[in-house]
Amino acid sequence: MQKSIALLFIVATLTSNSVQAAKTVTDSLVTDLPCNKVTASEIYKRMSPRQFSSDFHLPNVNWSYDVKGGLYELGVCWSLSRAQRLFFYLGRWNAPAEFSRPQTLQVLNMLRGSSIYPIMQNQEAYPRQDFGILAELMRGVGARDFKTEIEKYETERFHKFAKNLKLIIGNGSRSKKNNQESKSLLVQNLQTNKLSLIVIRASRVAQHVVLVKRYQREQNGDIKFWVYDSNRPGQDALLTYRQADSRYYAPGIIYGIVPQKDLHDPVGVYIVDEKERDPVESTLVRHYSSLCSSLSRK
């Protein structure tokens, strides 16, 4: 009798696992994610490159604001690039959902810097300032809205001097060794759909943050990196790693930041905030695990 019960248990377990394995999840981020393998690495593997196209760029253009009562000005390129990475991973498009006030507050908290991240279900097919979650964020809740929270994060991130000290050591482009290391890490990240925030340093006081989305290796060994640039969010911008001298060039990105004569000088590249993908990954695993559990109950 005990053997029969044990056999039935094994058969039931195998059947349950088989049913779970047969179920998959597809949305605007992933395609055919297997419910029996909801891990961060599997989610990255199943991501669609379409999700990272310029169609899904936030339409907000980088702006400047006064800090410390007008003592100096900051741009919000770092905060917008971070927000763009969050929208790429956590935004869901053409999803039948409406946002409520508490959900809007959750997203505002995330933009401010909270480590609790929500999935953003969007009825629209791309980010719009007149409809959907972005419109809700622009309207805001009370005195808080998209603009205030973007500025809040930018101010706090700028004043992390210990983390930022390396960005002002030296001037302009970095060493050959530094550039080779950052190039290898960028390629490695992009091969697994891990988007990277980078600081582009044209000079000690001329720096800009962009989000690297994809790469293309040329026949001569050069590598083109396509990025989201908050100064021109309507299209992808180009950063080039030149094999011949192990240096980066970004004339289209630093245009307007440096004098015309310096546009074609090499720039320094720093990969930053790599650990900020951790809460994104945790959120994605929880989200898809929950979706798969709901499927198994049907």
Side-chain angles (χ1 to χ4, degrees), residues 103-169:
Q103 290 168 312
T104 302
L105 277 172
Q106 270 191 315
V107 179
L108 290 174
N109 289 339
M110 175 180 70
L111 295 177
R112 175 175 287 218
S114 167
S115 59
I116 299 174
Y117 293 174
I119 296 292
M120 295 175 280
Q121 304 280 6
N122 293 273
Q123 289 179 301
E124 68 272 27
Y126 52 87
R128 288 167 47 181
Q129 292 177 319
D130 61 335
F131 187 74
I133 178 55
L134 187 55
E136 289 295 323
L137 295 173
M138 299 294 287
R139 283 191 288 269
V141 177
R144 298 176 59 190
D145 57 23
F146 182 84
K147 185 173 183 288
T148 64
E149 305 315 282
I150 289 292
E151 291 178 0
K152 176 75 173 176
Y153 181 85
E154 186 78 29
T155 301
E156 292 188 359
R157 187 62 187 80
F158 178 78
H159 288 114
K160 292 181 178 179
F161 295 118
K163 284 188 174 183
N164 296 342
L165 183 62
K166 65 183 180 182
L167 305 179
I168 58 173
I169 295 175

Side-chain angles (χ1 to χ4, degrees), residues 238-250:
L238 178 64
L239 168 73
T240 300
Y241 174 84
R242 191 177 295 168
Q243 179 73 16
D245 60 1
S246 298
R247 292 188 184 278
Y248 291 97
Y249 297 86

Side-chain angles (χ1 to χ4, degrees), residues 4 10 15 46 63 75 84 123 162 173 185 220 247 286:
S4 298
I10 292 171
T15 302
R46 301 285 176 162
W63 68 87
Q84 183 64 69
Q123 289 179 301
S173 63
L185 181 55
N220 63 359
R247 292 188 184 278
R286 283 196 306 270

Side-chain angles (χ1 to χ4, degrees), residues 1-2 77 95 97 153 162 179 194 208 212 239 243-244 254 292:
M1 183 66 177
Q2 289 180 337
C77 59
Y153 181 85
N179 291 338
K194 293 182 179 179
H208 185 50
V212 187
L239 168 73
Q243 179 73 16
I254 63 173
C292 284

